[in-house]
Amino acid sequence: MAFPARRLRRLRRTPALRRLVAEAQVRVDDLVAPLFVREDISAPVPVPSLPGVVQHTRESLRKEVRELAGLGIPAVILFGIPARKDASGAEAWNPDGIVQVALRDLRDEVGDSLVLMADLCLDEYTDHGHCGIVRADGSVDNDATIELYARAGVAQATAGADVVAPSGMMDGQVAAIRAGLDGAGFAETAILAYAAKYASALYGPFRDAVDVTIRGGGDRKGYQQDWHNQREALAEIALDLDEGADMVMVKPALAYLDVIAAARQRFDAPVAAYHVSGEYAMVKAAAERGWIDGDAVALEHVTAIKRAGADVILTYYARELAERALS
Ligand code: PBG
């Protein structure tokens, strides 16, 4: 009788054995919690398509961030919902714009015990919902836009951001923001570049959370990446690193594990992955119907992102995961 010499099941026999030989494990230290803060509201507003996620008031944001720090989460990333939107998104660089005000609150609240990141884009602030200046023909003007990104970056750094995270996918945005920061005396402010950000259909719930509708039923395919392509993502990442990015991001995560793995192999900088709103909402929705075990799927998904090579994971599950024993 020919028994196999190598028996892989031996090391799967008990939970302790499995723990001992586990290759990839998500740590609370890997997690970044995305948070929304909205101007002119007096109580937190739940986001129906993101169960458990709210638009925060300044006060409720302070409390949430204090609790996240207490749970050991090392970083948060802020998104703002301004009271006024206009064609150029001026609230993005207003020193008293909602994200800038919130950054000052949080720095005061938690000091250096937590990394404060700010999403750097214009779509939450423009009345047309695009990530930049829209020309008469409807296209987005790359070079006019990146000047505004530089201003927003300086406003965020001035307000206390440790890391600014440009997500608009304009060419040259990292170089423009780096130059703006250095010129204003913020050489130590880091840039997390949304380097390989795809024009994904998985951002729907996020757009509910930030009250963004792209005017005229438009989309972002003229600036975000085409999801048919992997090599192009590596070109995006290489350019962003050349321009001075300190960390790079792949977004979304689960449908792009190949991109995360390739980025991890090719580059030495920290690779972040954004487990986006649609990825979270799908699990929550199926779990609500009793069709899957939501907690189990969440951990399996986030661990897959880590196993593919992500060093940093942005996820709406950050708090829930930190509250559980991760294994
Ligand atoms: C743009 C931005 C988006 C997300 C993060 N930054 C939306 C978009 O590109 O349309 C999506 C995040 C998510 O879906 O969770 N400011």
Side-chain angles (χ1 to χ4, degrees), residues 119 123-124 167 197 203 206-207 220 224 251 277 316:
D119 182 81
D123 61 323
E124 293 96 10
S167 61
K197 175 173 177 181
Y203 308 147
F206 172 93
R207 292 184 193 159
R220 306 205 195 291
Q224 298 181 348
K251 176 186 173 190
S277 58
Y316 302 95

Side-chain angles (χ1 to χ4, degrees), residues 285-309:
E288 266 173 25
R289 293 183 169 207
W291 289 353
I292 59 171
D293 174 342
D295 287 351
V297 173
L299 188 54
E300 184 176 336
H301 276 179
V302 176
T303 304
I305 296 165
K306 173 85 182 190
R307 194 184 62 233

Side-chain angles (χ1 to χ4, degrees), residues 36 50 79 119-124 131 167-168 194 197-198 202-207 214 220 224 251 274-278 316:
F36 302 98
L50 286 175
F79 298 89
D119 182 81
L120 200 175
C121 199
L122 297 180
D123 61 323
E124 293 96 10
C131 295
S167 61
Y194 285 65
K197 175 173 177 181
Y198 286 87
L202 289 160
Y203 308 147
F206 172 93
R207 292 184 193 159
I214 306 177
R220 306 205 195 291
Q224 298 181 348
K251 176 186 173 190
Y274 199 142
H275 179 241
V276 301
S277 58
Y316 302 95

Side-chain angles (χ1 to χ4, degrees), residues 59-70:
E59 268 321 298
S60 73
L61 182 75
R62 269 182 184 259
K63 178 164 176 286
E64 175 72 9
V65 169
R66 202 183 321 121
E67 288 172 14
L68 292 174

